[in-house]
Amino acid sequence: MIEQRSYADADVARLIADVQQEYVRRYGGPDQAAVDPGEFAEPTGRFLVGLLDGGAVATGGWRFIDTGLVEIKRMYVVDGARRRGLARRMLDALEASAAAAGARQVVLNTGLAQPEAIALYESSGYQQVPGFGHYACAPNARFYGKKLRAGRPAAS
């Protein structure tokens, strides 16, 4: 099950701390991109939590960064819950909620040290887009985008 939560929720805070530790492990430091928790509250964004056996094990959020354009941030699935399709379900839920809120396109960034994320995004119809934001010029960063239709993702 996936449910909307506040960025200040205790489970969200724990999962964000976990994903930051994942970045430390993979990249040598936490994500340095500026994130304002208020951007993930309605009407400018959403934050979602995926539950498995009653426990919060997956997370992801989106925020509007321009008219009709949202950015996905903090997608993460805890180690013990990986390889069960939870990341794909979270991505689908993020896209659907963004489209329902009026987004026409979604963008995100990841890095070469996250080949699983790259495979997920590419298999979900994302295509590479020009760099943006804090990591726009980082050599190992990868940027992806996907057009959405009103109420749901566009067909790939």
Side-chain angles (χ1 to χ4, degrees):
M1 174 166 58
I2 294 177
E3 57 188 40
Q4 185 174 328
R5 300 265 185 101
S6 163
Y7 200 90
D9 178 87
D11 286 330
V12 170
R14 177 181 53 79
L15 290 167
I16 289 172
D18 288 353
V19 73
Q20 291 288 17
Q21 284 306 305
E22 183 84 8
Y23 297 147
V24 169
R25 186 176 68 74
R26 291 185 187 225
Y27 297 103
D31 182 357
Q32 298 294 319
V35 172
D36 175 356
E39 293 175 320
F40 295 95
E42 291 187 51
T44 58
R46 306 285 187 286
F47 212 87
L48 306 179
V49 171
L51 305 173
L52 182 64
D53 299 327
V57 298
T59 190
W62 59 262
R63 60 186 177 179
F64 275 101
I65 58 173
D66 202 350
T67 303
L69 178 64
V70 300
E71 178 187 18
I72 289 177
K73 294 290 291 177
R74 305 293 186 252
M75 272 214 39
Y76 177 69
V77 177
V78 299
D79 258 346
R82 292 182 182 163
R83 305 208 188 309
R84 298 180 191 197
L86 298 173
R88 187 170 306 277
R89 282 186 278 193
M90 178 61 70
L91 185 59
D92 290 345
L94 290 166
E95 291 174 355
S97 66
R104 296 183 311 271
Q105 185 174 2
V106 60
V107 293
L108 55 84
N109 78 284
T110 189
L112 291 179
Q114 293 174 270
E116 316 90 334
I118 291 171
L120 170 67
Y121 302 137
E122 290 180 350
S123 71
S124 297
Y126 283 75
Q127 296 182 354
Q128 288 195 22
V129 298
F132 61 89
H134 183 80
Y135 296 103
C137 297
N140 292 325
R142 294 297 177 265
F143 301 86
Y144 289 92
K146 182 177 183 177
K147 292 187 187 298
L148 302 174
R149 289 188 307 203
R152 62 178 188 218
S156 304

